[in-house]
Amino acid sequence: MRRHLILVGLLALLPTAPMAQDAPPPPPRTVGDSREFPPPRLVEGQGWDARPPEKADDKPLFPEQTRAPYHKVASYKVTTITDKLHLPWSIAFLPSGKMLVSEKYPGQLRIVDGSGTLSEPLTGLAMLAPPRKLGVLDVVLAPSFAKSHLIYFSFFETLAEGYSNTYLAHGVLDEAAGSVHDVTVIYRGVPVLPEKNFSAKQGGRIVFARDGSLFMTVGDRDGNNKHDYDESLAQKLDNDVGKIIHLTPEGAPSPDNPFLNTPGVRPEIWAYGIRSPQGFVSAPDGTFWETEHGPRGGDELNRIQKGKNYGWPVITHGIDYPGGPVNEGIIAKEGMEQPVYYWDPVIAPSGLAYYNGTLFPQWRGNLLAGALRGLGVYRLVLKNGKVIQEEPLLSELKTRIRDVRVGPDGAVYVLTEQKALLKLTPG
Ligand SMILES: [Ca+2]
């Protein structure tokens, strides 16, 4: 085994073939994505999903917890800015008016301008992982970006027979030079887990809070959906897996974290019992909203609060992939938070945005949840902390959506999973 690892290490040092001949690893498969997704039922006042729930005996615990009524308030038109990206994952808006876009495999950052011109991949990330083995997830600007040019991004390694987790780095963007310099890894999620546990459940969404601290999501990494829930790390507090972690901008545990002085508990943990968190956003009132992939029939929208337990894998409104119960099949338990909203059947939520722009005044205060399996963006109308309406957007494109962001111009920017950056404006 050791000899094999040395060989792998030596191979990693050899010159790599040009990109076209060196295909990146395929994106991880998400269970259930191959099933057909029917067009949503767009009838005013009725929930868009007419299908029966996967969990036959499931009951919402309050009336607004699932299947909110459809209501359309604004029309939009879609402009394709570019369709030349490769597995894009996230967008950040630069003061120059251009956009910084991350690509998952191979992990890269590019700059895109408003007319769709793509830069070469930014240089400077190669020190993070062996060639062709880097995966990049989220990218955000530091609050100090105007002065510091500092960007933060999450990444992971795809090492053959190797071990990895979700990591956080920052670096200084030199837009003119097309590079990121002084790249520094400021946090490494623990523990490292085998590659077979990757699945798509890395988390990696980064959010800066109003106080300048930052949050990052980390998925539960049960990559095989192996149904061994007793071994799930999401309920154990000695690791970062299945957690929301909260850090200073330098990568230390934030001094207001809930378990700082609890022996045996990782001090960076802010919230736990999380499954596969791909959407995370801070609303203007300081609340944090998270979307996560559940098991079959259990995708969730959660309001994330300090120190709370979001239940996975003890409680869920979904079922196991083969059709049986998850654990004891319970949907509620004292001390565990209910999702504010759930989707059963699932939409496989991806990026999440809070609309606070001016172009779509009718959408202000709404959440926009991208969806992979759900082939669209789901507009959620919040009232008193509940979802009172839900409107599928972009269903007409029949394409998997990876991220949703609101631009400084108030337009909604959307990444499709495979290649495109789209812009929604009124129309
Ligand atoms: Ca939950």
Side-chain angles (χ1 to χ4, degrees):
M1 176 59 98
R2 177 169 292 274
R3 181 176 298 171
H4 181 65
L5 286 175
I6 291 170
L7 180 62
V8 169
L10 288 172
L11 285 172
L13 295 174
L14 293 173
T16 49
M19 186 172 175
Q21 297 162 28
D22 185 10
R29 189 179 66 88
T30 302
V31 175
D33 284 340
S34 59
R35 291 179 291 174
E36 296 240 331
F37 191 80
R41 173 184 64 182
L42 304 182
V43 178
E44 285 285 334
Q46 295 187 30
W48 62 263
D49 198 342
R51 299 169 295 170
E54 301 269 21
K55 184 171 164 56
D57 61 346
D58 182 60
K59 291 279 188 299
L61 296 185
F62 47 90
E64 304 91 344
Q65 202 179 14
T66 190
R67 300 187 187 230
Y70 166 79
H71 181 52
K72 179 180 174 178
V73 291
S75 297
Y76 57 85
K77 66 181 179 193
V78 181
T79 308
T80 300
I81 296 177
T82 178
D83 60 1
K84 301 285 191 292
L85 295 161
H86 180 76
L87 300 177
W89 211 84
S90 179
I91 319 161
F93 300 94
L94 296 165
S96 65
K98 296 179 180 179
M99 286 160 278
L100 193 54
V101 176
S102 61
E103 294 179 326
K104 186 171 179 178
Y105 286 119
Q108 294 178 147
L109 298 170
R110 293 180 191 269
I111 292 172
V112 185
D113 71 16
S115 60
T117 305
L118 246 62
S119 76
E120 289 296 308
L122 303 183
T123 59
L125 305 191
M127 47 75 71
L128 292 173
R132 325 294 305 159
K133 300 299 182 189
L134 176 67
V136 173
L137 298 167
D138 208 359
V139 59
V140 300
L141 307 189
S144 65
F145 180 84
K147 284 184 179 173
S148 67
H149 295 180
L150 202 57
I151 64 170
Y152 284 70
F153 59 95
S154 49
F155 73 99
F156 58 96
E157 296 158 300
T158 59
L159 303 174
E161 296 186 32
Y163 288 68
S164 182
N165 202 318
T166 304
Y167 304 140
L168 180 62
H170 65 40
V172 177
L173 175 66
D174 186 336
E175 216 174 317
S179 68
V180 184
H181 59 84
D182 293 324
V183 171
T184 308
V185 181
I186 63 163
Y187 193 77
R188 291 182 181 271
V190 294
V192 291
L193 292 168
E195 171 141 331
K196 68 182 173 64
N197 288 88
F198 275 146
S199 181
K201 295 159 75 177
Q202 298 98 340
R205 199 62 74 175
I206 307 165
V207 165
F208 271 97
R210 292 184 299 180
D211 65 2
S213 63
L214 64 86
F215 291 85
M216 185 170 78
T217 69
V218 186
D220 82 336
R221 286 299 180 106
D222 177 13
N224 298 331
N225 291 297
K226 54 187 168 55
H227 322 302
D228 194 356
Y229 300 113
D230 287 344
E231 289 185 7
S232 174
L233 297 174
Q235 288 290 324
K236 297 172 183 161
L237 298 181
D238 59 354
N239 68 83
D240 292 326
V241 175
K243 307 294 185 309
I244 310 290
I245 63 173
H246 184 211
L247 305 169
T248 69
E250 294 76 35
S254 186
D256 60 339
N257 279 354
F259 306 115
L260 272 187
N261 301 310
T262 309
V265 176
R266 297 290 306 180
E268 62 278 1
I269 294 174
W270 180 259
Y272 63 106
I274 302 287
R275 190 173 179 274
S276 179
Q278 297 205 13
F280 195 64
V281 70
S282 171
D285 65 359
T287 55
F288 294 98
W289 297 94
E290 177 251 16
T291 49
E292 69 178 55
H293 292 215
R296 189 171 148 190
D299 286 356
E300 297 181 352
L301 170 73
N302 291 296
R303 183 182 166 193
I304 298 297
Q305 295 180 277
K306 178 178 178 175
K308 294 204 167 169
N309 179 355
Y310 289 83
W312 178 254
V314 180
I315 59 169
T316 174
H317 288 269
I319 55 176
D320 208 342
Y321 283 105
V326 170
N327 257 343
E328 297 170 18
I330 57 174
I331 60 172
K333 188 168 183 175
E334 195 172 345
M336 296 186 181
E337 299 305 302
Q338 277 296 308
V340 167
Y341 196 69
Y342 67 89
W343 291 270
D344 176 10
V346 297
I347 60 167
S350 51
L352 181 68
Y354 182 95
Y355 192 83
N356 203 28
T358 52
L359 271 189
F360 291 99
Q362 305 94 329
W363 292 357
R364 283 177 67 87
N366 297 172
L367 291 172
L368 301 173
L372 296 162
R373 184 166 150 62
L375 308 182
V377 172
Y378 290 77
R379 186 178 65 87
L380 305 172
V381 180
L382 299 170
K383 187 178 181 184
N384 299 327
K386 304 281 199 310
V387 175
I388 59 162
Q389 290 168 359
E390 180 178 11
E391 180 194 6
L393 307 172
L394 294 178
S395 312
E396 64 277 14
L397 301 182
K398 296 183 168 54
T399 192
R400 291 161 62 88
I401 301 298
R402 175 54 77 185
D403 198 17
V404 186
R405 302 277 165 152
V406 180
D409 56 359
V412 174
Y413 292 80
V414 171
L415 290 173
T416 70
E417 185 182 44
Q418 293 296 328
K419 60 182 181 179
L421 171 59
L422 312 176
K423 179 179 180 179
L424 275 63
T425 52

